[in-house]
Amino acid sequence: MRRLLIVAGLYLMLGLPQASHATGEDWRLTAERVFADPDLSGPTARGVTFSPDGRSVTYLQPKATDQTALDLWIVPTDGRGAPRMIVDSAALEAKVGPISEAERARRERQRIFTHGVVEYRWNDQGTQLLVPVAGELYVADPRTGTVERRVARNGDVDATDSRFSPKGEYISFVRSGTVFVTSARGGAPRAITPSGEGAVQYGAAEFVAQEEFARDTGYWWSPDDRAIAYTRVDESHVTSASWADVGEKGATVRTMRFPFTGTENARVDLFVQPLVGDAPVRIDLGTDPHFYLTRVHWSVDGRTLYVQKQSRDQQTLELIAFDPKTGQGRVLLTERQKPWVNIDLDFTPLADGGFLWVSERSGFRHLYIYDAAGRLVRQVTSGDWPLAGRDRDRGIVGVDERRGIAYVLGFRETPTEQHLYAVNYRSGGPLTRITSGAGWWTVSMNRSATAFIGSYSSPDTPPRVAIHAADGQRLRWLVENKLDAGHPYAPYVKGLPKPEFGRIAAEDGQALEYVLLKPADFDPAKRYPVIVQVYGGPGRQKVVKNWRTPEERIYLDAGFLLFQLDNRGTLNRGLAFEAPIAGKLGTPEVTDQIAGMRYLQTLPYVDPRRIGVTGWSYGGYMTIRMMTHPDSQFAAGAAGAPVTNWHLYDTHYTEHYMGKPQDNAAAYDAASLVPRLDQLRGRLLYMHGLADDNVLFDNGALLIARLQQLSIPFDLMVYPGQRHSIIGPEQKLHLWRTYLEFFKRNLGAPEPH
């Protein structure tokens, strides 16, 4: 998705250990086995990418004894050499110690839940790899394996957001809200921006940029190494939020600038600093400070700085071309759309000065090409289906400018399968599907778009990775990852779920995709309890044809049915499917999920009195909304870390769907969970991390206090030191044991008719 190679990248299966063979009823999976080593889906490595010359593939692989600790490995693409480790993270981490609190928060925004080598970058020349470990920066030689420290930690302050300059002469990083540059060959770093102090930071991304529109950086190198564009972020206008970070060793009061909906955002300015000599040039972003700086790009020749600027109401998005020498710009194109304009990572400058652009103006995300003056040349793809790409994923994964071919991920055939397609953007020729199979592909292409690393999985195929030519021909396996007798899943393969996909109709006639999973020993003569697993919020999709997470087996092998439904408002179905939630969070989504509950109650093998529901984050919000719906017949629900009052969440996310509370107070009141709790039906289990800095525990306190005021009994589980996601094998095992015990107690086991 980005050149930053983080843990959320592609999966590579290597070195599968021999598994012990089970007999009799040992095929059932327990929570203990799911969270033990080796990984049931096969030992994984992540962040797989081509070297710049295409001769090698690098990746991050977990240690055999710790699935959360990642090392950096390399393997030749021609198959003539064995994989070898370049960086052993344990040796480096031992010298430095744990990461800082600031870096921990940054990783939470990026959804990085491992340690060791969690990101790395090639230089464009293919001669060095930049490897941040525990706040220090190391340079590795991919040929010799030599690893040298370039930037040491400064006390307890980490060097973050590091990268090589495009020509490979420099290494840049951010420390204490200041951008520093040092020679790639070594030497003392020097500040390229003013020093960050207090609420003013340089080169850093503010909270909503990281959390809501996947901009994790605040600085950008020019292609010729001569200048850096950087942000000045002033959060002095932003409300401070404080909470007690309660951990196993006590509590620490933490404070951060948190832009609650309807309040002030950070003020963001943009400058261009020549590396030598001149004073910084201020980019003229206008006099109104109430906007979002969503994207910054340099043109291929470095003569233009492109900026994407979104209005506070998120109904206007401008692409502006600036002269980096004067700071003056002109608007190349403007997207205006109600109820919102979604943003993405797909803007692609071309060598001739034109650019590729993805827009939802037709109702679906499609590809367009513009010339250097911002004139539309043509719409390249079309149809009642979308390209992929939202949040941290790209729809455009490669461009062959020599042939005029764009490679895109999308959903032409069905929203439950993601495939790679090729299209000629110069002629607007036919769209050609490259990948095969009834499953889910993720793709990383080389620079010239002549080859790609493809990861594929389906309900009966664990993730397998190969190198392919651009036409889809497989050149060699990286790991075939056959589900054979030696695979870690082999002893439990009898219980491999066989998902049943289907559709029901929403009240407006749109089709709602669902998947139903049954235990391996399912008996239609019995009546089963069902657990509905829900997310239901925008920007996510649960019903897809990929390898099922082994965690689902914990429920299935205990005798539960599992049901998942993608309601209106979820991803990859087009604007008409997403827009019904505008100004009505918690209403159309819940209506659809209640329709799913009613469908389940028509099935002869479902006990209609024993249906439960569970979800985390927006799924936790949905769980409680569903349990407080007038037609709810849910017997139990487990809700994790929900927003209970939308006044307590951030500006960009909440206002995107609800507008400002000053302008839409009734909608905010209607979307709140707390006033509905007197209508709660069924037993509730509430869970939350006590260090959550995304959905603050203030949300949980409101809910807990109200339930106590109403004298409604409920179950409570809090996790000291845990943030918005519960991480760590011991903590995750406890979480899933808690789920299972709760649903066994409240839903029971299958019963005869």
Side-chain angles (χ1 to χ4, degrees):
M1 65 176 190
R2 294 169 291 173
R3 294 183 63 204
L4 176 64
L5 303 169
I6 63 174
V7 120
L10 296 170
Y11 292 93
L12 171 62
M13 307 298 175
L14 293 171
L16 300 176
Q18 295 296 310
S20 61
H21 291 273
T23 59
E25 292 300 303
D26 291 345
W27 58 266
R28 296 183 189 277
L29 268 173
T30 63
E32 290 74 15
R33 175 60 192 92
V34 167
F35 296 107
D37 293 323
D39 189 326
L40 285 163
S41 298
T44 61
R46 315 170 191 194
V48 188
T49 189
F50 286 102
S51 60
D53 63 9
R55 295 179 180 178
S56 302
V57 166
T58 43
Y59 55 92
L60 303 175
Q61 183 170 346
K63 291 184 179 298
T65 56
D66 183 358
Q67 289 291 316
T68 67
L70 303 180
D71 302 316
L72 179 60
W73 289 71
I74 190 168
V75 63
T77 55
D78 62 10
R80 296 180 182 179
R84 58 185 173 87
M85 184 190 297
I86 305 175
V87 178
D88 179 356
S89 62
L92 301 183
E93 279 189 315
K95 300 177 182 179
V96 183
I99 61 173
S100 67
E101 186 62 27
E103 176 63 6
R104 185 182 173 208
R106 179 176 176 268
R107 292 187 184 186
E108 177 78 15
R109 304 282 86 79
Q110 294 178 315
R111 308 304 187 255
I112 297 175
F113 304 127
T114 51
H115 64 97
V117 183
V118 299
E119 57 182 288
Y120 68 95
R121 292 177 186 267
W122 282 94
N123 65 3
D124 287 354
Q125 295 69 41
T127 58
Q128 292 181 318
L129 289 150
L130 180 61
V131 184
V133 176
E136 298 197 329
L137 304 183
Y138 295 84
V139 170
D141 186 322
R143 297 162 297 179
T144 66
T146 302
V147 180
E148 297 179 353
R149 187 171 69 179
R150 285 291 184 269
V151 177
R153 199 171 183 180
N154 185 8
D156 62 352
V157 181
D158 295 337
T160 65
D161 193 14
S162 57
R163 69 199 70 166
F164 284 111
S165 63
K167 298 293 185 182
E169 292 295 318
Y170 305 99
I171 293 170
S172 55
F173 62 93
V174 176
R175 175 184 282 157
S176 300
T178 308
V179 180
F180 289 87
V181 171
T182 187
S183 170
R185 293 179 292 277
R190 66 182 179 93
I192 199 74
T193 67
S195 296
E197 185 175 352
V200 177
Q201 306 282 299
Y202 296 88
E206 68 274 23
F207 175 87
V208 294
Q210 296 180 54
E211 179 65 32
E212 305 304 353
F213 46 88
R215 178 168 65 75
D216 300 313
T217 189
Y219 76 94
W220 301 265
W221 278 98
S222 65
D224 58 9
D225 278 16
R226 294 182 179 178
I228 289 179
Y230 66 86
T231 57
R232 178 185 185 273
V233 177
D234 182 356
E235 294 186 308
S236 60
H237 304 84
V238 179
T239 305
S240 291
S242 298
W243 70 96
D245 182 345
V246 181
E248 59 181 313
K249 296 181 179 179
T252 302
V253 176
R254 304 205 184 277
T255 301
M256 66 177 288
R257 301 284 181 168
F258 193 97
F260 294 102
T261 182
T263 68
E264 289 287 321
N265 277 313
R267 305 287 174 88
V268 180
D269 295 303
L270 187 64
F271 296 84
V272 173
Q273 174 65 62
L275 213 60
V276 178
D278 299 336
V281 175
R282 185 187 185 105
I283 300 300
D284 184 3
L285 297 174
T287 57
D288 182 0
H290 304 295
F291 65 87
Y292 297 103
L293 181 72
T294 60
R295 302 285 179 259
V296 176
H297 295 269
W298 288 88
S299 62
V300 175
D301 62 11
R303 296 178 181 177
T304 301
L305 187 70
Y306 297 108
V307 170
Q308 292 184 49
K309 180 181 167 185
Q310 188 182 44
S311 60
R312 174 74 185 252
D313 67 8
Q314 299 179 59
Q315 295 180 0
T316 303
L317 178 68
E318 292 180 323
L319 175 67
I320 310 171
F322 286 97
D323 182 338
K325 294 181 179 179
T326 67
Q328 299 304 302
R330 57 190 178 89
V331 176
L332 291 180
L333 71 85
T334 303
E335 295 276 358
R336 290 189 178 90
Q337 188 162 264
K338 291 184 177 182
W340 49 66
V341 177
N342 288 310
I343 54 180
D344 56 50
L345 294 163
D346 287 312
F347 172 74
T348 305
L350 301 173
D352 65 2
F355 55 90
L356 298 177
W357 180 259
V358 172
S359 171
E360 219 169 7
R361 68 189 63 158
S362 69
F364 295 90
R365 282 174 43 82
H366 280 297
L367 180 64
Y368 298 78
I369 182 170
Y370 285 79
D371 66 17
R375 293 184 293 259
L376 176 64
V377 178
R378 68 177 53 83
Q379 181 174 345
V380 181
T381 63
S382 62
D384 293 342
W385 58 273
L387 297 183
R390 288 272 296 280
D391 194 23
R392 294 182 175 273
D393 298 314
R394 288 184 60 114
I396 303 172
V397 294
V399 177
D400 182 345
E401 292 197 59
R402 183 179 61 84
R403 299 168 56 223
I405 304 294
Y407 294 89
V408 298
L409 290 169
F411 304 91
R412 184 178 65 180
E413 288 77 20
T414 169
T416 61
E417 298 176 17
Q418 180 167 277
H419 284 283
L420 178 67
Y421 305 86
V423 63
N424 190 307
Y425 58 82
R426 291 179 184 149
S427 65
L431 189 75
T432 302
R433 179 168 146 180
I434 302 297
T435 51
S436 60
W440 195 269
W441 285 85
T442 56
V443 168
S444 174
M445 297 202 82
N446 64 358
R447 291 186 178 184
S448 58
T450 56
F452 66 89
I453 301 165
S455 176
Y456 171 79
S457 79
S458 69
D460 59 2
T461 306
R464 56 201 325 190
V465 183
I467 299 175
H468 300 258
D471 63 3
Q473 178 185 358
R474 188 175 67 241
L475 302 178
R476 62 153 292 179
W477 286 108
L478 291 177
V479 169
E480 193 170 1
N481 197 28
K482 283 186 176 181
L483 190 51
D484 56 18
H487 196 281
Y489 203 94
Y492 314 100
V493 74
K494 179 181 175 181
L496 182 68
K498 297 179 173 60
E500 299 175 11
F501 293 89
R503 293 178 174 181
I504 62 174
E507 62 183 3
D508 64 2
Q510 296 194 78
L512 306 175
E513 304 280 347
Y514 74 79
V515 60
L516 177 66
L517 298 102
K518 301 173 181 176
D521 58 356
F522 173 77
D523 181 353
K526 294 181 178 180
R527 289 163 69 84
Y528 285 81
V530 184
I531 297 173
V532 177
Q533 292 180 306
V534 64
Y535 181 78
R540 296 291 183 272
Q541 179 184 12
K542 288 187 73 70
V543 183
V544 298
K545 294 179 181 176
N546 62 1
W547 177 249
R548 309 303 305 185
T549 172
E551 284 94 329
E552 293 176 342
R553 288 281 302 273
I554 297 171
Y555 289 140
L556 294 171
D557 291 1
F560 296 98
L561 302 184
L562 289 182
F563 182 77
Q564 299 169 1
L565 179 142
D566 282 337
N567 48 257
R568 287 171 295 166
T570 53
L571 191 61
N572 294 327
R573 295 290 304 278
L575 191 60
F577 192 81
E578 184 180 14
I581 65 174
K584 296 183 290 186
L585 286 184
T587 300
E589 316 98 288
V590 174
T591 299
D592 293 348
Q593 294 291 339
I594 293 295
M597 178 198 73
R598 290 179 176 138
Y599 167 72
L600 288 171
Q601 291 175 326
T602 68
L603 301 177
Y605 47 80
V606 167
D607 187 335
R609 301 165 302 164
R610 294 191 294 150
I611 300 177
V613 58
T614 182
W616 198 272
S617 192
Y618 203 98
Y621 171 74
M622 286 287 291
T623 295
I624 299 174
R625 290 288 293 195
M626 292 160 68
M627 294 178 71
T628 55
H629 189 277
D631 296 334
S632 171
Q633 296 182 41
F634 293 102
V643 173
T644 63
N645 182 330
W646 286 104
H647 290 274
L648 295 177
Y649 205 53
D650 72 55
T651 50
H652 192 271
Y653 185 98
T654 314
E655 293 171 17
H656 184 92
Y657 303 106
M658 298 286 285
K660 288 184 178 181
Q662 298 93 321
D663 304 327
N664 207 4
Y668 275 77
D669 292 342
S672 176
L673 292 180
V674 176
R676 302 165 58 94
L677 291 175
D678 60 351
Q679 304 169 53
L680 183 70
R681 303 181 184 186
R683 185 75 177 194
L684 174 66
L685 166 62
Y686 184 81
M687 299 166 287
H688 212 132
L690 290 177
D692 196 332
D693 60 354
N694 181 359
V695 178
L696 304 177
F697 192 73
D698 294 17
N699 288 271
L702 281 176
L703 180 136
I704 291 166
R706 182 57 179 158
L707 288 174
Q708 291 169 345
Q709 291 166 4
L710 293 168
S711 297
I712 296 176
F714 65 100
D715 292 54
L716 176 66
M717 182 58 65
V718 294
Y719 287 89
Q722 295 285 322
R723 299 202 174 202
H724 192 53
S725 300
I726 307 302
I727 63 172
E730 296 87 0
Q731 290 81 3
K732 290 175 71 174
L733 174 57
H734 181 272
L735 175 69
W736 278 86
R737 280 176 166 171
T738 302
Y739 281 140
L740 187 59
E741 187 277 335
F742 173 77
F743 282 118
K744 280 184 173 180
R745 176 161 41 91
N746 289 283
L747 299 183
E751 298 175 351
H753 275 292

